Amino acid sequence: MGQRGDTRRERAYDGELGEAVTRAQGGDEAAFAVAYRIVQPGLLGYLRGLVGEDAEDVASDAWLEIARDLGRFRGDGAGFRGWTATIARHRALDHLRRQKVRPRATALEQDVLDLPGAHSTLEQALESLSTERALALVAGLPRDQAEAVLLRVVVGLDGPSAARVLGKRPGAVRTAAHRGLKRLARQFGAEGVTEDGSRTLGESG
């Protein structure tokens, strides 16, 4: 997706992010700008998967709420990433309701399936596609699967954090993400990218 490297950097920045948030809560505007710089790319990618071309507007609304309620936040850098994702999701759902486009209800199995490892070949395949194209493919998934994949791969949340954002059990989120990644693997085959991350030449997936 062009985002896997970004995800690794986001996690590496969580210490810096936590420090910036603490300073921002004390009124340091420059520190708030640092927190914004670290969080915004992943947050915007997540919102693009939910609301498409309206992501910038929804992100602006979310950051207004984040700034307003910053003093209420308690936690570290990773926690802040999850907190901001929750706010952004609420604003995205409000936006969809205003458009009278409601998320599809999907019955999730409660069995526990593990996501692929950090260096999974599927996520390498995600990297081999353009960000815009990959996000379009993810947006075509059932909503529960799309959100699970976006939160895990784009925003960089761990399983429990993603589950808290979605208000679901971790096992249900892992199931949705696993199914979404499997479906994307099949789509990548049709795009000329095999599940092992290599490209095909003149062959159908």
Side-chain angles (χ1 to χ4, degrees), residues 1 5 9 14 19-20 24 39 50 54 64 68 73 79 81 89 93 96 113 123 130 132 135 139 165 171 173 180 189:
M1 185 176 296
R9 284 192 294 273
D14 278 345
E19 294 175 1
V39 172
L50 296 182
D54 295 328
L64 286 174
R68 184 193 70 199
F73 172 73
R81 200 184 299 284
R89 182 174 190 266
L93 294 179
L96 292 173
L113 296 174
E123 289 182 12
S130 71
E132 184 175 333
L135 285 174
V165 171
V173 174

Side-chain angles (χ1 to χ4, degrees), residues 101-185:
V101 177
R102 298 188 179 277
R104 291 193 293 267
T106 305
L108 296 178
E109 292 185 3
Q110 299 303 314
D111 54 316
V112 177
L113 296 174
D114 290 330
L115 279 169
H119 301 290
S120 74
T121 54
L122 178 54
E123 289 182 12
Q124 292 171 8
L126 279 165
E127 283 192 78
S128 70
L129 296 176
S130 71
T131 298
E132 184 175 333
R133 179 58 183 148
L135 285 174
L137 289 175
V138 173
L141 295 172
R143 181 164 297 278
D144 66 304
Q145 296 177 14
E147 286 203 71
V149 171
L150 288 166
L151 287 170
R152 293 300 307 272
V153 177
V154 178
V155 181
L157 299 184
D158 60 20
S161 296
R164 284 193 293 273
V165 171
L166 298 175
K168 299 184 181 296
R169 289 187 285 184
V173 174
R174 283 194 294 270
T175 297
H178 180 85
R179 289 185 168 190
L181 289 171
K182 286 185 67 176
R183 181 175 295 203
L184 287 173

